[in-house]
Amino acid sequence: MNRKPNLKDVAELAGVSAITVSRVLTHPDKVAAKSRLKVEQAIATLGYIRNHAASALASNRSGVLAVIIPSLSNIVFNEVLQGIYSAVKPHQLQVILGDCHYSPLEEEKLIATLLSQAPEGLILTGTDQTDYARKLLQNAGIPVVQLMELTDHPIDINIGFSHFAAGKAMTEHLLARGYRHIGFLGARMDPRTQHRLAGFRKAIEDWNATSRPESLGAEPQSARCEPYVVTTSQSSSIKLGGQLLQAVMAESQGQCDAVFCCNDDLALGALFAARQMNLRIPADLAIAGFNDLEASALVDPGITSVASPRFAMGQQAVDLLMQKASGAQTEFSPIDVGYSIMVRGST
Amino acid sequence: MNRKPNLKDVAELAGVSAITVSRVLTHPDKVAAKSRLKVEQAIATLGYIRNHAASALASNRSGVLAVIIPSLSNIVFNEVLQGIYSAVKPHQLQVILGDCHYSPLEEEKLIATLLSQAPEGLILTGTDQTDYARKLLQNAGIPVVQLMELTDHPIDINIGFSHFAAGKAMTEHLLARGYRHIGFLGARMDPRTQHRLAGFRKAIEDWNATSRPESLGAEPQSARCEPYVVTTSQSSSIKLGGQLLQAVMAESQGQCDAVFCCNDDLALGALFAARQMNLRIPADLAIAGFNDLEASALVDPGITSVASPRFAMGQQAVDLLMQKASGAQTEFSPIDVGYSIMVRGST
DNA sequence: TTGAAAGCGATACCAT
DNA sequence: ATGGTATCGCTTTCAA
């Protein structure tokens, strides 16, 4: 016999019916121990492997979880993925992963493609899906998680934190430390990065409004905060951080005394570049980052950064997805997992 | 109509037969333009999405590529993955990804699981599969790639480079630079790391044999090279690099004047720790790494490291897999993609 | 270029 | 606890 063995082959060898073999595979406890043993032996002898396509077709359960991330190269999403994989284990799910390269259009195409696998659920990053994508998902009738970021109008389940609030809080931290010429370094301005920038702007706006109310007239220059924003659509890297630091220094004519980098890669690059410019940190220049990568804590001085529970987010996404898939609950309101500012020597 | 539309629904709406719809989906050029248009409209109207399980079952083509990597958290495999994803695009394949946590046993289980999806091909990392896994793969009758590392007895296709040779070459570089008390820092001693260590040992052994032949009697102490090996099964991290540096310094009683780290994470950690110990680099201590991560080139001094074409390996794996799947060629001998030593300030 | 009929391999449902 | 039978949705094969 050359072709791959199927259920029937196993059944014949074991002297039972096909359906009994099927049961051994799915609900072993619903089969008498004696039959089960015979079947298990037959399976081993034949090297039988169940045909997933047939199983999925007949049972209408694909055993697949679809996940779309914006980038494979960004370690941040890896940590989320690890959470997803760890949580998926007990559920007998296979993960099909797509990388949409930060593009909502690519994401839309991927969603269409992945939906053909009839996944049990779908995990997306961010909340900026195209209208058509949202429609696809609504029709699909499967639970969907939008991860990493919060929105008032989630497609379904939403788990994340406010990048606006985090950006604002970090900027307030710099203001509280006395910095008044603060630069924002941004790369690959995806929605979350833009929210961080918006938070940055709001913090400074609030600060200037408070410390220098128009009704009171002029105040000492030092009280007012001067923002410098340098962004690029290039994708983020350590090297780019150094280049952006030079750019902001040029733009501010050397006035800039603190930079808030939209992520830790940029912050590391800024730190390395600042050293070569003989800037003392944090005396001459403060550096703040985002994501709290391992390296940020270990360089000298450590980089102040925003931490968030990425692994846990991934886990929770799967957990809620599976809860919903099993019909336990139908509505979850957006879940804010929060963030925390890790203050280190760089500020 | 509540249930999801199927081929028949589309066919009825378009006024053609189901098979014609199927053809529009798979070989659009084999259908008259007129019918095709009608079908495409019907598909759009109904929001039809093809049932992958049924398609796979009927056609005996799963459209799935299975990939197993040892770790999601190691950025090195991410770059390989990116190569895989980039190459997969034109082939209409979905990637199912498994993480075996560096364990051959987990890998074996994953292989069994993933084979049930009847993937068109399977990409593995390394060459240390269990016997049972090899048997499974041989029976599966699909092309298999063992990636990253070379072996004399590949299961099928083999693409990689010699970690032994790379480890040896890097050590020879340190010897050539005049270092004679060389430490090896190793974490999570997976097979490739062990080969690097073996190369390290061989280089030093060769050196000592050459520069101090037994027949010539004693020579100046400085000519002989003293190796110090510190390894741990803990998984690698920047922080661990610092700890291992301290360990090797303790073991060598401060004699160690160079460390070869089994990867760049450790090397970065060693660099940061060395700075805090007020060691001048490379005068007091040379540091070499492996993998050539971006940060290694940008810290000061830059870390000498071993670069390899990871992205390209991923791409080539898919390319050869698809070539083989389409029956073009049946045998490939192992493909050595090589490595190169990036010499920087740290040595 | 198009269609009819016969599977693909497993599971659900209903008996026994 | 076990088995018979219909069925899932699509593609293959063959014929027109």
Side-chain angles (χ1 to χ4, degrees), chain B residues 83-325:
Chain B
I84 291 174
Y85 270 88
S86 82
V88 134
K89 252 190 183 166
H91 292 288
Q92 276 211 268
L93 285 174
Q94 295 305 314
V95 174
I96 300 196
L97 179 65
D99 172 357
C100 70
H101 302 97
Y102 288 101
S103 152
L105 275 175
E106 266 200 68
E107 188 184 39
E108 176 186 297
K109 277 187 214 160
L110 264 173
I111 290 173
T113 312
L114 295 183
L115 280 182
S116 78
Q117 307 265 353
E120 319 268 328
L122 182 51
I123 298 179
L124 301 169
T125 309
T127 58
D128 289 70
Q129 284 71 37
T130 66
D131 287 343
Y132 182 61
R134 293 179 77 101
K135 202 171 142 190
L136 278 176
L137 293 172
Q138 262 136 18
N139 291 340
I142 57 172
V144 173
V145 178
Q146 291 168 293
L147 208 59
M148 305 292 281
E149 190 182 349
L150 296 174
T151 174
D152 291 334
H153 306 288
I155 297 176
D156 186 3
I157 302 170
N158 183 205
I159 306 172
F161 66 96
S162 166
H163 293 252
F164 175 86
K168 185 156 172 282
M170 180 60 95
T171 310
E172 283 161 356
H173 162 75
L174 292 172
L175 287 165
R177 282 286 199 263
Y179 297 102
R180 292 295 177 273
H181 295 82
I182 310 182
F184 181 94
L185 307 188
R188 192 208 351 92
M189 299 301 291
D190 64 88
R192 288 166 295 289
T193 306
Q194 290 180 19
H195 295 149
R196 293 170 200 170
L197 172 54
F200 169 82
R201 290 203 150 111
K202 183 72 164 76
I204 291 177
E205 188 183 297
D206 286 359
W207 171 267
N208 285 335
T210 311
S211 68
R212 203 193 194 192
E214 313 239 8
S215 55
L216 293 184
E219 282 202 319
Q221 173 70 17
S222 68
R224 204 164 205 288
C225 177
E226 209 59 56
Y228 308 96
V229 174
V230 179
T231 64
T232 167
S233 57
Q234 283 178 63
S235 72
S236 185
S237 70
I238 301 178
K239 192 171 184 183
L240 187 58
Q243 295 168 355
L244 292 178
L245 178 64
Q246 295 187 326
V248 81
M249 281 305 179
E251 187 180 317
S252 67
Q253 299 178 313
Q255 291 288 300
C256 185
D257 60 3
V259 287
F260 176 17
C261 304
C262 75
N263 65 47
D264 277 7
D265 296 284
L266 294 186
L268 285 168
L271 177 68
F272 298 155
R275 264 194 208 136
Q276 297 196 324
M277 297 156 83
N278 285 315
L279 293 171
R280 289 166 305 157
I281 295 170
D284 299 332
L285 180 74
I287 298 180
F290 208 107
N291 288 334
D292 194 36
L293 303 188
E294 195 202 2
S296 303
L298 296 171
V299 287
D300 186 33
I303 295 177
T304 296
S305 192
V306 176
S308 63
R310 293 187 283 273
F311 189 91
M313 270 192 272
Q315 287 191 310
Q316 198 171 9
V318 175
D319 289 344
L320 296 190
L321 222 44
M322 290 300 100
Q323 265 183 49
K324 187 146 186 178

Side-chain angles (χ1 to χ4, degrees), chain B residues 6-7 19 22 48 50 58:
Chain B
N6 60 21
L7 255 199
I19 182 62
S22 171
Y48 169 74
R50 172 222 240 117

Side-chain angles (χ1 to χ4, degrees), chain A residues 4-7 10 25 43 46-52, chain B residues 111-118 132 136 139-140:
Chain A
K4 279 196 222 154
N6 62 20
L7 254 198
V10 177
L25 259 25
I43 288 177
L46 294 175
Y48 168 74
I49 293 186
R50 169 224 245 111
N51 181 323
H52 173 265
Chain B
I111 290 173
T113 312
L114 295 183
L115 280 182
S116 78
Q117 307 265 353
Y132 182 61
L136 278 176
N139 291 340

Side-chain angles (χ1 to χ4, degrees), chain B residues 51-72:
Chain B
N51 181 324
H52 173 264
S55 163
L57 177 58
S59 68
N60 202 24
R61 287 201 74 242
S62 66
V64 158
L65 171 66
V67 178
I68 301 179
I69 59 177
S71 161
L72 271 169

Side-chain angles (χ1 to χ4, degrees), chain A residues 13 22 43 46 132 163 199 209 220 224 248 261 290 307 322 325 341 346:
Chain A
L13 182 59
S22 173
I43 288 177
L46 294 175
Y132 183 62
H163 293 250
R224 205 164 205 289
V248 81
C261 304
F290 208 108
M322 289 300 99
I341 299 204
S346 71

